[in-house]
């Protein structure tokens, strides 16, 4: 193959390499030379799994992890076992293609490589340039070419499996109507919690229920009443004075990263006017990106600004040379914001085009912006006050604990430390009702640390060590202890009432929903009927099938019922959604525009066809992998994985992880 490619044109002039989408996603990895099994994880050839006679190595796993790091800037952490499963699927694909006689020939490989490595005029970029890139990306030309073979095998297998697939126009139109018809809803969730609020059982009913279920209210562990001295951290902090000198010293100790106000970012926005223009806009964005940046993906501020003024379709930032009005800061609550990808770049780097909504974005990272002392002063004051007040409150609590253990008198201790704690003695002494582990303690909540501090206290006037609780510190003293027993009715009356209300409500919830649907008559009457039952009817404007319903999530059953309704109608049969029974009516229905469907028919048909093909291909690979498992062709070496996991620091998972099927996959290394 090398000799065949070496015969091609060897131009060394400045060129632009145009990658097809298939290879563009594949050529992402950085070169990692092979070593023996006991070297660094990124270069180890030790096997972690095997599919047939092919091994998956530690190096393969590390390179896939590097791909995610490069692509998502550390915002995604899929876990090693999940990535190993992806690699196994890749091996299954290549072996299935070979089994069906679909392995690509040398001629097909040569043609695919030549297409990927051509300049703007369509000529091969030259063997030396190709060889350099192949080694950089894959470690060797042979390994790179094996990756291309795998990609071709996957394409051929998919084409073979889906050759006869077709979708009728009626099915495409029906799906268009489902997605684009909107409904104004009146929506009533009927829940046991809501019904329970309206139920008022009599004392006789509660006593009867208690007598029949006494053993179910038994206390299996001791109950304890605790009196404790409380030191409130905020009150301690209010008394503290923090000087500008201390704040300045705190500012000077900040790391450069923590001094950052954010990062300046330039952007170019290219909008997609219609879905059928998506690929055209993507191509323009790709070509524009390549024209702006150099071989190291860098560009000067001036060059990017000129491109932004001439091309960006966001008038506000285009006029400013693409600069966003404020520095960009990392926001873990908004990992989906595309602009956050710029934070993983180096200053001057230009990223690949990214799509959000109906537009493609090209970002260039500028310099970091440092917070001045004055800008950081308020945050520093809060942070420093919190730390100092915690330390001082902890010290007061320790000394108060020592005195309480001697005096056994919480009131006396509170008076002794009230001024220092910036509290009154009355505020400092608190008492719990009889509580047991797991109870929600007044002013404290469910607090395992408090429970641990109370657990060794078994005799009246036993005093525990200081313990951190919500808002400060507590020093507990045992007032009284009750052994496990069946409590008196009066002790658990509230719990009995809650149990009776809940059980009666659960028995009534479906019937109440059916009664509501029967009595409402139509959509206009649903709100009034709900109010008569003490229920709330929520309007849901412009609802589209497949989107979440308020407080209930996505419900195919509810969508099916809604789709059958005309304006003014309600679903006569309630739908179970989660823990609720839902009654829904349509006040307005706006059917999808069939004229718009006619314009998009070809694009929609192609999209639906590709989705069907993807599903068929996915189902086949899933079934093949299950067959390989049954036949013992798949082996995972858990001991190697466990050793790898133990040697790597764990990363916190992101708030939102995209499904693996939606991610572009790098190539398989053989």
């Amino acid at each position: 193959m090398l000799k065949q490619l070496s015969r091609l044109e060897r131009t060394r002039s400045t060129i632009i390499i145009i990658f097809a989408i298939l290879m563009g996603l594949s050529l992402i990895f950085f070169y990692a030379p092979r070593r023996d099994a006991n070297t660094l994880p990124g270069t180890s050839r030790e096997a972690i799994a095997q599919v047939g006679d092919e091994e998956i190595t530690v190096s393969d796993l590390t390179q896939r992890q590097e791909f995610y790091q490069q692509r998502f800037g550390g915002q995604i952490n899929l876990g090693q076992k999940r990535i190993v499963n992806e690699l196994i699927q890749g091996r299954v694909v290549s072996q299935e293609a070979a089994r069906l006689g679909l392995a690509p020939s040398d001629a097909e490989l040569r043609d695919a490589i030549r297409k990927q490595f051509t300049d703007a005029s369509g000529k091969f970029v030259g063997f030396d340039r190709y060889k350099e890139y192949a080694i950089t990306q894959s470690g060797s030309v042979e390994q790179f070419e094996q990756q291309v073979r795998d990609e071709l095998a996957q394409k051929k297998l998919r084409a073979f499996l889906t050759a006869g697939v077709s979708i009728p126009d009626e099915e495409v139109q029906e799906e268009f109507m489902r997605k684009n018809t909107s409904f104004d809803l009146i929506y009533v969730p009927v829940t046991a919690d809501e019904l329970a609020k309206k139920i008022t059982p009599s004392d006789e009913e509660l006593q009867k229920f208690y007598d029949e279920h006494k053993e179910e209210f038994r206390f299996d562990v001791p109950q304890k009443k605790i009196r404790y001295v409380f030191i409130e951290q905020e009150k301690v902090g209010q008394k503290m004075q923090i000087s500008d000198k201390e704040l300045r010293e705190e500012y000077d100790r900040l790391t450069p990263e923590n001094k950052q106000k954010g990062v300046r970012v330039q952007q170019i926005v290219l909008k997609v006017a219609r879905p059928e223009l998506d690929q055209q806009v993507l191509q323009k964005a790709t070509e524009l990106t390549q024209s702006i940046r150099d071989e190291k993906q860098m560009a000067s501020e001036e060059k990017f600004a000129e491109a932004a003024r001439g091309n960006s379709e966001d008038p506000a930032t285009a006029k400013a040379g693409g600069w966003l009005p404020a520095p960009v800061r990392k926001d873990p609550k908004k990992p989906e914001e595309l602009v956050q990808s710029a934070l993983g770049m180096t200053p001057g780097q230009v990223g690949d085009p990214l799509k959000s909504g109906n537009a493609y974005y090209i970002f260039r990272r500028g310099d970091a912006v440092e917070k001045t002392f004055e800008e950081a002063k308020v945050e520093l004051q809060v942070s420093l006050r919190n730390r100092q007040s915690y330390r001082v409150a902890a010290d007061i609590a320790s000394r108060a604990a020592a005195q309480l253990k001697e005096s056994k008198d919480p009131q006396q201790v509170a008076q002794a430390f009230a001024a220092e704690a910036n509290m009154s003695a009355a505020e400092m002494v608190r008492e719990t009702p009889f509580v047991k582990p797991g109870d929600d303690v007044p002013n404290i909540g469910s607090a395992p640390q408090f429970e641990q501090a109370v657990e060794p206290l078994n005799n009246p006037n036993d005093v525990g060590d200081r313990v951190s609780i919500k808002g400060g510190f507590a020093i507990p003293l045992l007032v009284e202890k009750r052994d496990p027993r069946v409590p008196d009715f009066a002790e658990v009356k509230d719990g009995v009432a809650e149990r009776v209300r809940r059980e009666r409500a659960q028995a009534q919830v479906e019937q109440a929903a059916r009664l509501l649907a029967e009595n409402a008559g139509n959509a206009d009457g649903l709100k009034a009927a709900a109010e008569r039952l003490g229920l709330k009817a929520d309007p849901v404007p412009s609802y589209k099938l497949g989107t979440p319903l308020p407080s209930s999530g996505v419900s195919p059953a509810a969508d099916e019922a809604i789709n059958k309704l005309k304006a003014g109608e309600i679903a006569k049969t309630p739908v179970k959604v989660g823990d609720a029974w839902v009654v829904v009516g349509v006040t307005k229905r706006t059917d999808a525009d069939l004229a718009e469907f006619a314009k998009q028919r070809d694009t929609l048909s192609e999209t639906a066809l590709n989705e069907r093909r993807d599903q068929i291909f996915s189902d086949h690979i899933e079934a093949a992998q299950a067959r390989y498992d049954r036949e013992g062709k798949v082996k995972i070496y858990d001991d190697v994985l466990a050793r790898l996991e133990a040697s790597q620091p764990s990363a916190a998972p992101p708030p939102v992880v995209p499904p693996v099927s939606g991610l572009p996959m790098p190539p398989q290394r053989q």
Side-chain angles (χ1 to χ4, degrees):
M1 182 57 63
L2 298 181
K3 293 179 179 179
Q4 291 170 317
L5 290 173
S6 65
R7 299 191 190 105
L8 299 173
E9 194 172 348
R10 294 175 177 269
T11 178
R12 291 183 180 272
S13 59
T14 303
I15 59 172
I16 300 175
I17 300 176
I18 303 176
F19 294 96
I21 293 175
L22 177 65
M23 292 300 297
L25 293 176
S26 299
L27 306 180
I28 292 176
F29 291 102
F30 293 99
Y31 170 51
R34 294 185 180 184
R35 298 183 187 175
D36 294 332
N38 293 324
T39 58
L40 297 173
T43 60
S44 172
R45 303 306 297 171
E46 183 177 13
I48 55 176
Q50 186 165 339
V51 182
D53 58 358
E54 294 183 86
E55 289 185 341
I56 297 170
T57 68
V58 173
S59 177
D60 295 328
L61 172 62
T62 303
Q63 289 160 1
R64 179 61 61 87
Q65 290 173 318
E66 288 174 356
F67 167 77
Y68 285 124
Q69 180 68 27
Q70 291 291 326
R71 181 67 178 82
F72 297 100
Q75 295 180 8
I76 186 168
N77 177 31
L78 295 181
Q80 291 181 341
K81 289 186 178 180
R82 187 168 172 182
I83 294 177
V84 168
N85 189 59
E86 293 173 20
L87 294 169
I88 290 172
Q89 287 182 345
R91 297 297 195 273
V92 171
V93 170
S94 63
Q95 292 183 25
E96 277 294 285
R99 183 179 69 84
L100 295 170
L102 299 172
S105 66
D106 287 348
E108 289 173 315
L109 175 62
R110 182 178 63 249
D111 290 345
I113 291 176
R114 176 164 183 155
K115 286 179 183 178
Q116 306 312 316
F117 289 88
T118 56
D119 60 21
S121 66
K123 295 180 180 179
F124 180 61
V125 301
F127 170 71
D128 290 339
R129 185 67 176 273
Y130 162 71
K131 179 180 178 181
E132 177 187 354
Y133 204 93
I135 292 175
T136 300
Q137 297 302 319
S138 304
S140 69
V141 173
E142 292 76 12
Q143 197 161 330
F144 175 79
E145 290 180 359
Q146 184 60 52
Q147 293 168 4
V148 180
R149 284 185 187 275
D150 290 343
E151 297 287 355
L152 291 174
Q154 178 171 321
K155 289 181 67 177
K156 292 179 71 174
L157 178 60
R158 183 180 184 277
F160 174 79
L161 295 173
T162 62
V165 177
S166 63
I167 297 183
D169 280 351
E170 295 78 10
E171 188 175 330
V172 178
Q173 180 176 323
E174 181 181 347
E175 185 61 19
F176 175 83
M177 296 294 291
R178 280 184 58 84
K179 288 183 177 179
N180 293 278
T181 296
S182 65
F183 306 83
D184 287 356
L185 305 179
I186 190 77
Y187 171 84
V188 183
V190 184
T191 65
D193 287 344
E194 285 299 318
L195 291 183
K197 295 175 183 178
K198 311 298 184 298
I199 296 173
T200 307
S202 66
D203 286 348
E204 290 76 14
E205 289 178 281
L206 297 180
Q207 182 69 58
K208 182 174 183 295
F209 186 90
Y210 169 79
D211 291 339
E212 294 172 352
H213 301 83
K214 276 185 181 182
E215 286 298 322
E216 297 174 22
F217 292 94
R218 167 182 285 277
F219 294 144
D220 294 324
V221 294
Q223 287 181 296
K224 296 177 181 180
K225 179 183 285 190
I226 302 296
R227 187 174 297 133
Y228 62 97
V229 177
F230 176 57
I231 312 296
E232 185 174 353
Q233 182 182 339
E234 184 179 351
K235 290 286 181 69
V236 172
Q238 290 171 359
K239 191 178 180 180
M240 300 177 64
Q241 299 296 322
I242 299 176
S243 67
D244 276 2
K245 180 183 177 183
E246 291 176 292
L247 293 174
R248 173 65 71 175
E249 291 172 349
E250 187 77 2
Y251 177 78
D252 292 340
R253 284 194 292 268
L254 291 176
T255 63
E257 183 183 47
N258 289 332
K259 279 186 180 179
Q260 280 189 16
K261 186 177 181 180
V263 170
R264 298 195 71 204
V265 175
Q266 289 171 283
Q267 72 171 15
I268 295 173
V269 182
L270 301 178
K271 296 182 179 179
V272 181
R274 300 189 304 276
E276 60 267 26
L277 299 177
D278 187 279
Q279 288 302 311
Q280 183 178 331
V281 176
L282 173 58
Q283 182 178 353
K284 178 182 177 181
T286 302
E287 292 173 353
L288 181 59
T289 302
Q290 292 172 340
S291 70
I292 294 172
R293 65 190 185 187
D294 59 21
E295 293 182 355
K296 295 182 179 179
Q297 298 187 335
M298 310 293 282
S300 67
E301 172 186 334
E302 294 76 15
K303 188 172 184 179
F304 193 96
E306 182 181 352
R309 293 188 186 100
N311 296 276
S312 183
E313 297 177 51
D314 178 37
T317 56
K319 185 177 180 181
W323 288 111
L324 296 180
V328 176
R329 298 185 65 180
K330 186 173 183 179
D331 188 348
K333 296 180 180 179
K334 299 179 180 179
E336 74 283 355
E337 282 190 347
L338 294 185
V339 70
Q340 300 237 354
S341 65
L343 300 177
M345 303 179 193
T346 56
Q349 184 178 347
V350 178
D352 294 329
L354 300 173
K355 188 179 181 186
S356 178
N358 66 337
Y360 282 93
Y361 294 79
I362 306 168
F363 296 113
R364 175 189 176 274
R365 172 177 169 158
D367 293 328
V369 180
E370 185 176 294
K371 289 180 187 175
T372 66
F373 171 67
E374 291 301 325
E375 289 172 328
K377 191 172 180 179
V378 174
E379 292 180 23
L380 291 172
Q381 193 169 45
V382 171
S383 174
L384 190 56
R385 188 183 299 279
N386 281 341
R387 295 206 309 274
Q388 291 186 0
S389 63
Y390 181 90
R391 185 173 62 251
V392 173
D395 177 66
I396 295 172
S398 294
R399 288 185 283 119
Q403 186 166 325
L404 183 59
K405 288 178 181 179
E406 291 182 6
S407 68
K408 312 294 186 182
D409 188 340
Q411 189 65 34
Q412 182 188 83
V413 172
Q415 290 173 347
F417 289 94
E420 196 174 351
N422 196 30
M423 301 173 69
S424 69
E427 292 176 304
M428 295 177 66
V429 179
R430 296 180 175 181
E431 188 169 289
T432 73
F434 281 97
V435 294
K436 62 184 185 304
D439 283 353
D440 194 13
V441 182
N443 297 314
I444 294 178
S446 179
Q449 287 179 300
F450 185 76
E451 292 175 2
Q452 290 171 9
V454 167
E455 195 274 333
L457 310 182
N458 291 304
N459 301 302
N461 289 325
D462 280 357
V463 177
D465 295 327
R466 77 157 201 220
V467 58
S468 176
I469 63 170
K470 182 174 67 175
F473 294 89
I475 305 100
L477 176 146
L478 178 64
V479 177
E480 186 180 349
K481 176 183 175 182
R482 291 178 177 174
D483 291 327
R485 71 198 190 287
V486 174
D488 296 334
F489 171 68
E491 292 181 72
V492 292
K493 183 177 179 180
D494 290 344
V496 174
E498 178 62 28
R499 174 91 171 268
V500 170
R501 284 194 294 267
R502 186 172 66 249
E503 291 190 5
R504 282 176 53 181
Q506 287 174 340
Q508 296 172 11
V509 64
E510 181 179 357
Q511 183 58 34
R514 293 185 183 279
L515 184 64
L516 174 61
E518 292 171 3
N519 292 340
N522 54 42
D524 291 335
L526 182 55
K527 182 176 181 180
E531 290 175 348
R532 286 195 296 271
L533 292 175
L535 300 170
K536 184 180 178 183
D538 293 316
V540 184
S542 303
Y543 174 77
K544 289 192 175 180
L545 304 178
T547 57
L549 288 162
S551 69
S552 300
V554 176
S555 170
D559 279 353
E560 183 179 353
I562 291 168
N563 198 33
K564 295 176 181 178
L565 300 177
K566 298 177 182 178
E569 294 181 342
I570 67 170
K572 293 299 183 182
T573 302
V575 178
K576 187 76 158 54
V577 182
D579 293 331
W581 284 88
V582 170
V583 181
V584 63
V586 173
T587 57
K588 180 182 177 183
R589 175 178 178 137
T590 305
D591 287 317
D593 185 358
L594 286 177
E596 187 63 29
F597 169 73
K599 295 177 186 177
Q600 301 180 32
R601 183 193 305 271
D602 292 343
T603 301
L604 293 171
S605 296
E606 184 63 25
T607 299
L609 188 58
N610 283 331
E611 289 176 352
R612 182 69 55 82
R613 287 169 174 163
D614 287 343
Q615 187 61 52
I616 290 173
F617 179 73
S618 176
D619 290 345
H620 179 88
I621 298 305
E622 186 177 336
Q625 185 171 347
R627 186 177 74 250
Y628 279 40
D629 286 335
R630 290 194 303 272
E631 295 172 356
K633 293 182 178 180
V634 176
K635 298 177 182 177
I636 299 176
Y637 303 120
D638 292 322
D639 58 329
V640 180
L641 270 177
R643 192 169 70 248
L644 281 176
E645 290 177 349
S647 67
Q648 295 179 358
S650 59
V656 175
V657 176
V660 174
S661 60
L663 299 176
M665 287 293 99
Q668 307 292 319
R669 294 199 175 195
Q670 305 296 329

